Amino acid sequence: MTTTVGAAEVELAIGGMTCASCAARIEKKLNRMDGVEATVNYATEKAKVTFDAAGVSVADLIATVEATGYTAQEPAPAVARTEAGSDPGADEPAVGEHDELRPLRQRLVTAVSLALPVIAMAMVPAFQIEYWQWLSLTLAAPVVTYAAWPFHRAAWTNARHGAATMDTLISVGTTAAFLWSLWALFFGTAGTPGMTHAFEFTIARTDGAGNIYLEAAAGVTAFILAGRYFEARSKRKAGAALKALLELGAKEVTVLRGGREVTVATAELQVGDRFLVRPGEKIATDGIVVEGASAVDASMLTGESVPVEVAVGDPVTGATLNAGGRLVVEATRVGADTQLARMAKLVEDAQNGKAAAQRLADRISAVFVPVVIGLALATLGFWLGSGAGLTAAFTAAVAVLIIACPCALGLATPTALMVGTGRGAQLGILIKGPEVLETTRKVDTIVLDKTGTVTTGKMTLLAVHTADGTDETEVLRLAGALEHASEHPVAQAVATGAAAKAGTLPTPEDFVNIPGLGVQGIVDGHAVLVGREKLLADWAMTLPVHLERAKAEAEAAGRTAIAVAWDGEARAVLEVADAVKETSAEAIRRLRSLGLTPILLTGDNQAVAEAVAAEVGIEQVIAEVMPQDKVDVVKKLQAEGRSVAMVGDGVNDAAALAQADLGLAMGTGTDAAIEAGDLTLVRGDLRAAADAIRLARKTLGTIRSNLFWAFAYNVAALPLAAAGLLNPMIAGAAMAFSSVFVVGNSLRLRGFRAAGN
């Protein structure tokens, strides 16, 4: 909990929510308290509350939530979660999540395995053996009681607070169908041995004494549980971005104490401790270099494609990678104060501040459910008043509840989502859940990270400029041989490019790394220098005019220029940069065709960003931004009324991906970015972003059409039920047709094709 002037902020973990309307109800109750502003996120099951600490306590907030019928508690502080990274018990939350999902899975398996034979016996006369109705009762009873218990519990909670949701309709409908079936079996004629349900397409009034509705009760329960299970699976991953961020840091660190090297857990580091970072190791925490020099890959924080040269006195950041020499670092920030922990907080804030997309079914149910219950009661009263008799009156009233019970509605979202996400997976597009889909329809701006998204994210040798009379192959052989012995990422790019163009590289006879300047050595009898122009100047060598011009032009375009000299003469300039992906320009054209405005957002320098943007056809560029600035840019665009999609691949993009209305993570990127995104593009091809948005929009359209037809079926059949004209077989057949239609409509998504295929 953080405190400002007279105000405080707290996050509460909320339990017991079953739909988006639950979150809305809690939010409404909290906001009615004096001095309280609350946002409740159904997806992450958290409430972010700002309140007047002078008049309201955390205990008061928790009491209000509990009085609304739900549970609330303060989650563990971020420091504890960060320090748990190296602890064996750190995996306990994941175990808890697994245990939380298991009961729902068990209920689903029970419901499906028992409901299928019940439905088959009710719908197929050939299966109606002499005591089939009693077998149906035996199979349906556990489904309606044990499997459907979450719906009954939620309905009771809602009823106690004068509210009704889809859970209410499911509970009332399945309970009514089951209880009526019990009455018909024990007190009517339905229990007679040899009784059958004739499959007749006739509309006629019936007293209901010979009809049972066990297949409706069991089938609806199974269908709705399937939808809830798949929703719960996607919700369970909501906090994975935060976990991925916190796990990025080094788990152990070599500390220098009393002249000895001691390996300890990173959580035990104290401000002022000096620790060793070898080449290839992660830097354990934020600090200052006190010994050594190296190149540090900080792209996870800055997005800068070129590694940063550090020496004594330079600051370094925890979880960045030491790509060069040995360093000794003095810790300046540890635990929750580090840059990594602050980034984790950014992601957490963005996730919790993201309004949960309310399900269309839940919004309609706020009106639909009370209307249906009212209509059932009115039907009962009308038939009793008209002298039709108690049995006929109850038959008509129960028929209203049964026909309104959302069988097809239970299939509308999960079937379209399963087919759409399944097809997406085949195309390398992973959609995380139904909440993602509604935002794709409204997105009008797409913010693109540069490094690893528009570009390859790897340093590449792009051009070779040679002095007069110098052979390019010879330049590559000598420079590549020397650079191959260096661990610096730019050097490795030169070595890789040289090997690809010049073939096998010779082995240097001598090699010296000059920190911050380059390398020198003997190759094939030549004294070779490769590095900055200053390295050549130290040996009294200057670049010819045309090479000086090539170097200036390369640097103006944001590329790294490397001078090459041997035997006392400057011979060439090499250009190294993060290369643009071949498919990026086409991807930008496809995104524009979907009505999206592309914006390039990067931590790299302005010149590099503008050069890349010009190459792929992006007009608006925002460069030299830190992670928190990326979040601010997204927020600013949203404040202008834009609906923002964000595409990124690095840890530095994770918070912005979470803040954006729609986050698209490149699957070739970090776990933190992938988990923070709403859509994951497995191939790492930006063209998949356009395909992902098209598929998500098409899946949403299918869900909406499914919901329309499911509700249309209910609305059209309700008058017949109220009039007492619904034959149970007609109702069952209509319900089955409605479900088949919804499934068939969803299966059309299997025909989705990526653009250009």
Side-chain angles (χ1 to χ4, degrees):
M1 188 169 65
T2 59
T3 305
T4 58
V5 183
E9 187 178 286
V10 68
E11 283 177 3
L12 299 177
I14 307 295
M17 293 191 294
T18 59
C19 61
S21 55
C22 295
R25 188 174 309 116
I26 298 169
E27 190 172 298
K28 188 176 180 181
K29 289 281 189 182
L30 287 171
N31 285 325
R32 282 180 179 172
M33 300 175 69
D34 290 336
V36 172
E37 289 184 16
T39 301
V40 180
N41 192 322
Y42 169 55
T44 59
E45 296 183 326
K46 286 184 180 178
K48 186 176 181 180
V49 188
T50 304
F51 60 99
D52 181 358
V56 180
S57 68
V58 174
D60 294 332
L61 299 172
I62 292 175
T64 299
V65 174
E66 290 176 344
T68 312
Y70 304 89
T71 63
Q73 61 182 16
E74 285 189 78
V79 182
R81 292 198 303 270
T82 305
E83 293 179 350
S86 59
D87 185 74
D91 291 333
E92 286 179 5
V95 174
E97 289 170 357
H98 176 75
D99 290 341
E100 185 179 329
L101 198 57
R102 186 184 301 162
L104 183 56
R105 183 166 57 248
Q106 290 172 341
R107 293 181 198 276
L108 174 60
V109 171
T110 300
V112 171
S113 58
L114 297 181
L116 284 176
V118 174
I119 295 170
M121 285 187 286
M123 292 292 138
V124 183
F127 292 162
Q128 295 174 4
I129 58 178
E130 187 172 4
Y131 291 101
W132 72 274
Q133 68 272 47
W134 295 100
L135 177 58
S136 292
L137 175 63
T138 304
L139 295 173
V143 178
V144 178
T145 52
Y146 164 71
W149 176 244
F151 306 129
H152 303 320
R153 182 178 55 207
W156 173 244
T157 299
N158 292 326
R160 283 192 301 147
H161 296 88
T165 64
M166 199 57 70
D167 288 321
T168 306
L169 192 56
I170 296 164
S171 177
V172 171
T174 53
T175 301
F178 185 72
L179 292 178
W180 184 260
S181 299
L182 284 180
W183 184 91
L185 284 168
F186 287 98
F187 302 105
T189 59
T192 306
M195 184 278 289
T196 61
H197 271 172
F199 201 76
E200 299 173 355
F201 289 97
T202 58
I203 296 178
R205 192 167 295 165
T206 172
D207 67 1
N211 298 329
I212 59 174
Y213 302 96
L214 293 170
E215 78 284 355
V220 167
T221 300
F223 287 139
I224 303 295
L225 275 175
R228 290 287 169 87
Y229 176 71
F230 290 112
E231 179 183 15
R233 280 184 61 185
S234 65
K235 273 178 57 185
R236 192 178 63 168
K237 297 179 181 178
L242 191 61
K243 184 179 177 185
L245 266 176
L246 294 174
E247 288 181 351
L248 272 178
K251 301 297 183 291
E252 292 183 335
V253 58
T254 303
V255 182
L256 301 177
R257 288 178 179 167
R260 294 188 305 112
E261 296 182 3
V262 182
T263 301
V264 300
T266 302
E268 296 177 21
L269 268 179
Q270 302 292 325
V271 173
D273 279 348
R274 295 193 172 193
F275 59 92
L276 177 65
V277 189
R278 298 180 178 87
E281 290 184 346
K282 288 181 180 178
I283 296 171
T285 194
D286 299 357
I288 298 289
V289 176
V290 294
E291 184 181 320
S294 181
V296 174
D297 180 359
S299 60
M300 60 161 284
L301 289 175
T302 64
E304 178 71 49
S305 50
V306 180
V308 179
E309 301 285 350
V310 296
V312 174
D314 290 334
V316 289
T317 306
T320 54
L321 186 68
N322 179 16
R326 177 184 183 275
L327 295 175
V328 176
V329 178
E330 182 175 313
T332 56
R333 289 195 295 256
V334 297
D337 295 327
T338 64
Q339 180 86 342
L340 179 66
R342 291 204 299 270
M343 287 179 64
K345 186 69 169 66
L346 278 174
V347 173
E348 190 168 31
D349 288 346
Q351 283 189 336
N352 291 335
K354 191 186 211 176
Q358 294 221 344
R359 294 291 185 87
L360 182 60
D362 281 313
R363 293 201 296 269
I364 296 176
S365 71
V367 176
F368 185 69
V369 174
V371 167
V372 168
I373 294 174
L375 182 59
L377 293 174
T379 300
L380 177 65
F382 173 80
W383 286 111
L384 285 175
S386 66
L390 184 63
T391 301
F394 269 107
T395 300
V398 171
V400 168
L401 290 173
I402 291 170
I403 203 65
C405 204
C407 184
L409 200 59
L411 288 170
T413 297
T415 54
L417 193 64
M418 282 188 286
V419 178
T421 53
R423 180 59 185 148
Q426 292 175 336
L427 298 173
I429 301 163
L430 305 181
I431 302 173
K432 287 199 174 176
E435 294 86 357
V436 173
L437 304 176
E438 291 194 32
T439 57
T440 62
R441 181 176 55 89
K442 299 175 287 186
V443 166
D444 53 32
T445 302
I446 186 160
V447 176
L448 304 165
D449 170 54
K450 180 187 74 68
T451 308
T453 301
V454 177
T455 64
T456 61
K458 296 179 180 178
M459 301 302 288
T460 306
L461 178 63
L462 298 181
V464 180
H465 306 277
T466 59
D468 294 338
T470 302
D471 180 58
E472 180 177 320
T473 302
E474 184 70 1
V475 170
L476 292 174
R477 283 185 71 255
L478 299 180
L482 207 56
E483 293 283 55
H484 188 266
S486 172
E487 296 173 334
H488 197 290
V490 172
Q492 287 299 304
V494 172
T496 301
K501 294 181 179 180
T504 304
L505 302 176
T507 302
E509 299 154 32
D510 184 35
F511 172 83
V512 177
N513 179 44
I514 305 170
L517 291 178
V519 293
Q520 66 184 52
I522 307 296
V523 182
D524 283 353
H526 300 285
V528 183
L529 300 175
V530 183
R532 298 179 185 272
E533 188 177 5
K534 186 177 183 304
L535 177 62
L536 274 64
D538 289 347
W539 289 81
M541 285 181 271
T542 58
L543 292 172
V545 175
H546 72 283
L547 289 185
E548 186 67 50
R549 189 183 310 117
K551 172 180 173 293
E553 290 174 354
E555 290 175 343
R559 297 177 176 180
T560 299
I562 302 165
V564 181
W566 67 81
D567 296 343
E569 186 177 342
R571 309 277 183 164
V573 167
L574 311 179
E575 288 187 37
V576 173
D578 183 8
V580 173
K581 293 178 182 177
E582 295 179 0
T583 58
S584 291
E586 183 186 350
I588 299 303
R589 288 193 295 272
R590 292 186 185 180
L591 290 168
R592 286 188 187 278
S593 71
L594 291 172
L596 304 177
T597 302
I599 297 174
L600 189 67
L601 179 65
T602 178
D604 223 331
N605 68 63
Q606 190 73 30
V608 172
E610 288 180 354
V612 170
E615 187 171 344
V616 299
I618 297 176
E619 296 167 4
Q620 189 173 351
V621 176
I622 304 173
E624 300 177 21
V625 290
M626 292 296 286
Q628 56 270 30
D629 299 323
K630 289 190 176 186
V631 175
D632 291 340
V633 168
V634 172
K635 286 181 178 178
K636 183 180 177 183
L637 291 170
Q638 290 170 329
E640 293 172 0
R642 302 200 201 186
S643 182
V644 181
M646 168 79 186
V647 187
D649 77 321
V651 175
N652 61 306
D653 304 315
L657 285 169
Q659 174 63 40
D661 298 288
L662 180 69
L664 297 96
M666 306 297 279
T668 50
T670 64
D671 289 344
I674 291 170
E675 296 298 349
D678 300 308
L679 295 165
T680 301
L681 313 177
V682 176
R683 300 196 307 270
D685 184 342
L686 190 57
R687 290 178 301 181
D691 291 331
I693 291 173
R694 283 178 50 238
L695 175 61
R697 286 178 176 176
K698 193 172 182 65
T699 304
L700 175 63
T702 301
I703 289 175
R704 287 175 175 271
S705 63
N706 283 350
L707 291 171
F708 170 78
W709 286 111
F711 273 116
Y713 152 76
N714 289 132
V715 172
L718 278 173
L720 289 176
L725 297 175
L726 264 186
N727 178 289
M729 283 299 100
I730 294 291
M735 191 175 289
F737 173 77
S738 177
S739 299
V740 169
F741 175 84
V742 163
V743 173
N745 192 38
S746 299
L747 288 173
R748 293 191 305 121
L749 288 168
R750 293 172 64 181
F752 179 87
R753 294 285 183 272
N757 289 351

